[in-house]
């Protein structure tokens, strides 16, 4: 059974196509953020290629319609841990990409409502992290992260605040991108069964169609291994709850806890909270879109900690599927050639909202 996210209340399922073209210049599989941004930027090339985007769901059923809507560059504790594993240069390069993506989203869609609440890392501050934040600010050439007093569930402490981050409605953003990608044809309800060497076998309405292409991009994120058996992408499930309307003294911000494994924001007077993947790693290493009671218990307990009380009920609980390449966020590039005509662009981890437009623009510039 299809499991709706809070955001999908605002979605209009798209009709299935009557037919599919036999040939296109560019075929894009998957209409999440990556596939849509790619269609938008390809449409700006001169001459613009004929682009067909095929999506097996009527809205999109992976990560983009089911995430937390953080338009974020990242936060200190996680960057600190990533720098230990992968080096400061890799952390700063990813930060810079996300910062570019953040600016791109705002520049393309000034009409998009962004909850300009900034983000706060609520994990304990220590001297090592202070020193790290100083380094990061110096390397970025601007004061991005400031330590300041914060309130979490009635407990006063300090945390690192970053003012530029904000919250978006992911489904509204997805729809804006699709409507702006006027040169592309979108076909929903079309499942790509096989792709490679200039041809894709697509299934729609119980029939199969072959679509031939000059170039194709597999933008199916956590589902990439279905179409690319050698894919390094490992699926990872993320679960999210939205509570009933709540009152709390907790700061209204994008909140990070537990090195970013747990995260929260306030939406329409409710608390949205996600995470727990680190505690249920084996169970959550799956491409199955389903929720679990064990993880619900963790999210409820974290919500009580964030709010400072238990006066709420869980009104929504859903799951989405991320794709990871070799690590949490810095694992590797999402771009891989499958053959001379076909490329996979998949594996954005837990941070694709700001990253996907940057990769899409980069790919389109190669045309
Ligand atoms: C619970 C959760 C919370 C998250 N929170 C955030 C956040 O706050 N901020 C942030 O930046 N990132 C967040 N992310 C990550 C972010 O959502 C992703 O990085 C981003 O959406 C990836 O976009 P995509 O287009 O690559 O993948 P997807 O959105 O997964 O798109 C892939 C699409 O391909 C389709 N598809 C799959 N197989 C086929 C096939 N064979 N044929 C046709 N279509 C197919 C799927 O239906 C799907 O719509 C979160 C992810 C999850 C799961």
């Amino acid at each position: 059974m299809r499991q709706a996210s809070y955001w999908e209340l605002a979605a209009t399922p798209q009709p299935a196509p009557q037919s599919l073209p036999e040939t296109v210049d560019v075929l894009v599989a998957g209409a999440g953020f990556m596939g849509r941004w790619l269609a938008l930027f390809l449409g700006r090339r001169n001459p613009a290629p004929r682009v067909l985007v095929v999506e097996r769901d009527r809205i999109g059923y992976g990560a983009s319609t089911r995430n937390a809507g953080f338009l974020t560059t990242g936060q200190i504790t996680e960057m600190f841990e990533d720098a230990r594993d992968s080096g400061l240069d890799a952390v700063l390069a990813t930060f810079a990409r996300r910062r570019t993506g953040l600016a791109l989203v705002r520049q393309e869609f000034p009409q998009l409502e962004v909850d300009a609440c900034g983000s706060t890392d609520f994990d304990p501050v220590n001297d090592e992290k202070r020193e790290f934040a100083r380094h990061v600010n110096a390397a970025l050439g601007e004061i991005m992260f400031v330590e300041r007093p914060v309130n979490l569930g009635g407990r006063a402490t300090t945390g690192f605040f970053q003012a530029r981050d904000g919250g978006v409605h992911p489904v509204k953003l997805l729809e804006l991108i699709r409507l702006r990608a006027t040169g592309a044809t979108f076909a929903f309800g079309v499942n790509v069964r096989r792709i490679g060497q200039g041809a894709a076998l697509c299934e729609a309405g119980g029939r199969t169609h072959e679509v031939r292409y000059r170039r194709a991009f597999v933008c199916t994120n956590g589902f990439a291994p279905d179409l690319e058996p050698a894919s390094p992408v490992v699926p990872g499930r993320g679960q999210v709850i939205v509570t009933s309307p709540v009152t709390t003294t907790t700061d209204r911000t994008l909140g990070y806890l537990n090195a970013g494994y747990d995260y929260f924001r306030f939406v329409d007077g409710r608390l949205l909270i996600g995470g727990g993947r680190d505690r249920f790693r084996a169970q959550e290493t799956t491409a199955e879109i389903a929720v679990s009671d064990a993880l619900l218990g963790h999210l409820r307990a974290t919500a009580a900690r964030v709010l400072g009380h238990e006066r709420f009920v869980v009104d929504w609980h859903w799951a989405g599927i991320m794709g990871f390449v070799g690590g949490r966020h810095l694992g590797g590039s999402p771009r891989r050639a499958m053959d001379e005509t076909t490329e996979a662009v998949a594996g954005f981890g837990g941070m694709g909202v700001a990253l996907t437009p940057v990769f899409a623009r980069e790919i389109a510039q190669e045309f």
Side-chain angles (χ1 to χ4, degrees):
M1 198 180 75
R2 195 176 203 289
Q3 182 197 66
S5 74
Y6 186 70
W7 313 115
E8 288 168 9
L9 296 178
T12 312
Q14 297 300 307
Q18 296 298 317
S19 62
L20 288 175
E22 282 176 15
T23 59
V24 293
D25 294 324
V26 179
L27 180 69
V28 176
F33 279 117
M34 186 60 221
R36 292 180 195 222
W37 279 114
L38 191 52
L40 185 153
F41 285 118
L42 284 171
R44 293 191 182 157
R45 303 314 292 169
N46 190 8
R50 283 172 309 137
V51 179
L52 173 68
V53 182
V54 290
E55 161 60 53
R56 69 180 171 193
D57 189 59
R58 296 294 173 85
I59 297 171
Y61 202 48
S64 298
T65 59
R66 319 180 62 75
N67 60 36
F70 283 33
L71 187 57
T72 180
T73 52
Q75 41 89 20
I76 285 294
T77 301
E78 184 189 337
M79 289 168 79
F80 177 73
E81 294 189 356
D82 283 344
R84 265 198 319 230
D85 298 343
S86 318
L88 184 61
D89 286 352
V91 169
L92 291 175
T94 303
F95 184 96
R97 275 202 143 107
R98 290 179 190 157
R99 182 169 56 176
T100 304
L102 212 123
L104 264 175
V105 172
R106 289 178 181 241
Q107 184 186 314
E108 285 292 333
F109 302 111
Q111 74 274 40
L112 176 73
E113 204 179 305
V114 179
D115 181 3
C117 55
S119 67
T120 305
D121 175 354
F122 287 94
D123 281 343
V125 174
N126 57 31
D127 285 344
E128 268 189 311
K129 283 193 208 169
R130 283 193 188 98
E131 181 58 24
F132 178 75
R134 264 196 295 276
H135 255 325
V136 170
N137 286 336
L140 294 169
E142 62 175 313
I143 307 292
M144 292 290 288
F145 294 98
V146 287
E147 186 181 346
R148 72 174 202 185
V150 294
N151 176 344
L152 183 74
R155 288 178 308 282
T157 170
T158 70
F160 286 105
F161 179 72
Q162 205 269 74
R164 216 175 283 182
D165 284 354
V168 296
H169 189 304
V171 163
K172 288 187 182 168
L173 175 56
L174 284 164
E175 187 62 355
L176 286 173
I177 306 169
R178 184 178 71 84
L179 294 173
R180 181 71 58 84
T182 46
T185 303
F186 283 79
F188 288 80
V190 178
N191 195 357
V192 179
R193 287 290 184 195
R194 211 169 53 230
I195 190 165
Q197 304 293 357
L201 196 66
C202 299
E203 205 175 74
R207 292 191 311 159
T208 52
H209 309 255
E210 189 182 72
V211 179
R212 304 197 68 78
Y213 57 80
R214 277 200 300 125
R215 294 284 305 277
F217 296 91
V218 174
C219 303
T220 55
N221 202 32
F223 309 99
D226 295 346
L227 297 173
E228 183 199 12
S231 173
V233 172
V234 177
R237 187 165 65 193
Q239 298 189 35
V240 175
I241 59 171
V242 171
T243 67
S244 50
V246 285
T247 53
T248 180
T249 58
T250 296
D251 298 340
R252 295 294 198 276
T253 178
L254 306 184
Y256 288 108
L257 301 161
N258 186 22
Y261 278 111
D262 296 323
Y263 44 88
F264 68 87
R265 63 181 279 208
F266 292 92
V267 182
D268 305 331
R270 303 165 183 272
L271 176 70
L272 176 155
I273 192 156
R277 276 179 33 74
D278 55 326
R279 285 162 198 250
F280 298 91
R281 202 173 284 280
Q283 168 198 303
E284 298 304 295
T285 303
T286 175
E288 194 196 343
I289 303 187
V291 294
S292 74
D293 285 346
L295 211 134
L296 175 61
H298 168 75
L299 295 177
R300 255 191 230 277
T302 312
R305 181 177 157 219
V306 168
L307 294 171
H309 62 77
E310 293 184 5
R311 297 188 301 280
F312 64 89
V313 295
V314 174
D315 281 344
W316 272 268
H317 180 198
W318 72 87
I321 305 300
M322 292 169 262
F324 293 92
V325 187
R328 194 148 56 136
H329 299 308
L330 295 170
S333 169
R335 298 187 61 182
R336 286 168 310 281
M338 290 168 58
D339 59 50
E340 57 285 2
T341 58
T342 317
E343 180 174 334
V345 195
F348 288 95
M351 286 285 183
V353 179
L355 274 180
T356 44
V358 184
F359 279 96
R361 191 175 63 168
E362 178 186 299
I363 293 168
Q365 278 165 353
E366 294 166 11
F367 267 71

